Amino acid sequence: MTELQNAAKAAATRPRIQPAEEGDDRPLSVSARLGRLQFHQSGKFRVLQLTDIQDGPKVSKDTVKLIEASLDATRPDIVIFTGNQIAGYDPAYAQTTRKRRWSASVGTARETASSKSSEASERFEAALERTRASVRATVEQLVRPLADRGIPWAVTFGNHDFQCGLGNAEIESICREFPGCLNPDPAGGESGLGGANSANSVGSMDSAEDAGFVQLRAESYLPNQRVFACEPGTFALPVADVDHTMSVLGLVLLDSGDYARSGGYGSPSAEALRFLAGVPEMMATQSQKRVESHETAKSQEQAVPCMVFQHFPVQQYYQLLKPAATNAARAIEGYRNFAGKHYVLDEGKTLPGSYLGEGISCPDTDSGEFAILEQCGYFAISAGHDHRNAFVGTVPISRNSADVRMAKVLSKVIGGLMMIASPTSGFGSYGPVPQKRAARLIEFDIRHPYEPRTQLLEYGELVGKPSAGKAYAYGMTSESKPESEGVDLLHRPTWWSKLLSWLRK
C-alpha cells in the first residue's frame, strides 16, 4: 500500500472535528449541558485522552497550548487523564520524593540519619505542605483550560505521580478541589464498590439508596451522573443513550499500579481487578431499573460493554507486533521479558498512521487483566506510559464465560478487543519530536458504539511550531531504561551500558 493510500485509509477512520462556535457561552461539553454523560442528538459521544504530561509545578506553555487547541477543535464530552500527570522526580519535590511506594522519602531518610527530634518531623511536614502546594499548582494549570470551557474530567494514576511523596488518594483529593473533576469521594463508598453519597446528591434520577454507585457533586458539571467507585483512580462512568433510557457503554478508569517489589512495573490491585470484572454487569443491573420506567425503552442487555483507560499497557499489546530482524526498518527492541528480540507493527492488525517508537513497557507478570477484558464485556483498552508509541489495533478475543447468556450477548456486539497506545501529551520529558506530541480523540457513534473512531491531535497540526526548547526525542530501549528507571527519565544509554547489553545477547 502506497503512502497516499495509507493517508486516505487513515482519514476514513478519523472522526470529523470542527472548531468551537464563537459567541457560544454554554459549556463546550454537550454532556455538561445535559448534566450527565450521554450521546448527543447527533448520535455522537467524544472522549479526549491526555497522557504522560509529566511536568513539575510550572507546566510547559506548549502543553497548555496543546490542551487548549485540542479542546476547541473537538468539543469533547469528557477529558480523561491516564496517569503520570505529576513528575514526582522533579526537583521541586526533592525533600519528599520517594523512588518506590514502599521506600522512605528522601527527606525522611536524611532526617532520620541526622536527627530524631520532633523538629525533624516538623521540617518534613513543612516539606510535604510545599509538595501539596506544588501538586496543586500543576493540577490547576492542567485543568484551567477545561474549567474555562465547562468540560468535565477524570484522572487515574501512573508510576510517577506518587513519587512526589503524596499517595494517589491525596493527589485525587487535591484534584477534587477543582471544578469538573469526576473522581468520586471515597467517603461515599462502601466495600470498595461505592455507595450512595447522599451528602453530595443533586437532582437524583433514581433512588439514592441504590447500592453500587455514588452521585457526583454539582461542581463536577454532571450533577445527574452516576459513578461506580472502587479506590483512588479506579471507578466507572456509564454513558446513556440519546433519550437517557439506558446505558449504552461504560468508561472505566483503572489504576494499573506502579512498581513491583520483584522488579519491573506493577499491576492493578486485587480489589481493582475484581471491580473491573464486575462493572459491566453492575451497570446493566442499575440501568435496567431505568429501562423498566420507560415503556418504549429497549430491554437492557446482561452486561454493558465497557472501555478501560489506564496507564500501563498489558502484555498482550505485543500481539499487535510481529518479530523482525535486528536491522529491519523501524525495528524496536522489546522491554524486559521481551528484551533481546526486535519487533515492528503488524500492519494487518493495526490502523494506518500507527507508529512504534519504543518497546512496549508492560508489567513482567500477567495479572489476569486481559482475561477479564475478554470474558467480562470490554471492547477496548487505551493506555499511555510509552511516550513514543502511537498505534491502534484489534485482536480477536475468545468468549469462554461460564455464563452462556452473557457470552452470546457480548459476541453480538463485540467482535474483538481494540488496543490503543498514545504518545505523551506533554513537553516536560522524553517523547517523539515536539510536533508529534499529541492528545487523542475517541469518538463513539450510537449506530455502532463499540467500534469507536480515533485520531491523534498532534501539536504540529493544531498549534504549529513549539516554543519550548525542552523536548527530548531520543529513543527509549532496554539500554536506556536501567533499574533506576522512574527517577531519572532523561537517562541516556552510555557506551558502557550498550556494551553490557550487547554482551548479554
Side-chain angles (χ1 to χ4, degrees), residues 191-215:
S191 303
L193 292 179
N197 190 354
S198 57
N200 291 329
S201 294
V202 180
S204 178
M205 299 176 297
D206 304 306
S207 171
E209 287 75 29
D210 288 341
F213 53 86
V214 300
Q215 195 155 12

Side-chain angles (χ1 to χ4, degrees), residues 324-383:
T326 303
N327 59 352
R330 301 184 180 88
I332 296 293
E333 185 182 1
Y335 180 64
R336 286 184 68 89
N337 286 354
F338 299 88
K341 300 178 182 178
H342 286 72
Y343 301 87
V344 294
L345 287 174
D346 187 335
E347 294 182 356
K349 296 179 180 178
T350 54
L351 293 181
S354 297
Y355 62 84
L356 182 71
E358 61 179 292
I360 297 171
S361 302
C362 55
D364 293 351
T365 303
D366 186 345
S367 66
E369 180 186 346
F370 184 77
I372 292 173
L373 300 182
E374 277 192 306
Q375 302 302 321
C376 297
Y378 288 83
F379 61 88
I381 173 175
S382 189

Side-chain angles (χ1 to χ4, degrees), residues 312-332:
F312 289 140
V314 293
Q315 289 184 353
Q316 287 76 11
Y317 267 59
Y318 274 90
Q319 293 182 16
L320 297 177
L321 313 184
K322 58 184 180 182
T326 303
N327 59 352
R330 301 184 180 88
I332 296 293

Side-chain angles (χ1 to χ4, degrees), residues 7 15 19 37 42 51 53 83 120 132 193 258 273 359 402 439 443 466 476 491:
L37 297 178
S42 65
T51 191
I53 289 174
R132 294 183 184 106
L193 292 179
D258 42 69
L273 291 173
E443 182 182 80
M476 293 293 285
H491 179 93

Side-chain angles (χ1 to χ4, degrees), residues 16-87:
R16 290 179 295 175
I17 58 177
Q18 299 175 347
E21 299 175 6
E22 294 185 7
D24 189 345
D25 295 329
R26 295 177 299 171
L28 208 59
S29 164
V30 175
S31 285
R33 301 176 192 177
L34 298 171
R36 67 184 73 89
L37 297 178
Q38 180 176 328
F39 278 83
H40 318 162
Q41 289 297 327
S42 65
K44 300 294 193 295
F45 179 82
R46 287 179 167 180
V47 174
L48 187 71
Q49 179 185 358
L50 298 169
T51 191
D52 295 274
I53 289 174
Q54 221 159 294
D55 221 331
K58 187 174 182 180
V59 176
S60 166
K61 293 181 180 179
D62 287 323
T63 298
V64 176
K65 289 179 182 178
L66 175 61
I67 294 173
E68 292 174 336
S70 299
L71 298 176
D72 292 336
T74 63
R75 291 178 285 186
D77 289 273
I78 179 176
V79 172
I80 296 179
F81 294 88
T82 48
N84 282 5
Q85 291 73 236
I86 308 298

Side-chain angles (χ1 to χ4, degrees), residues 171 291 329:
I171 297 174
V291 168

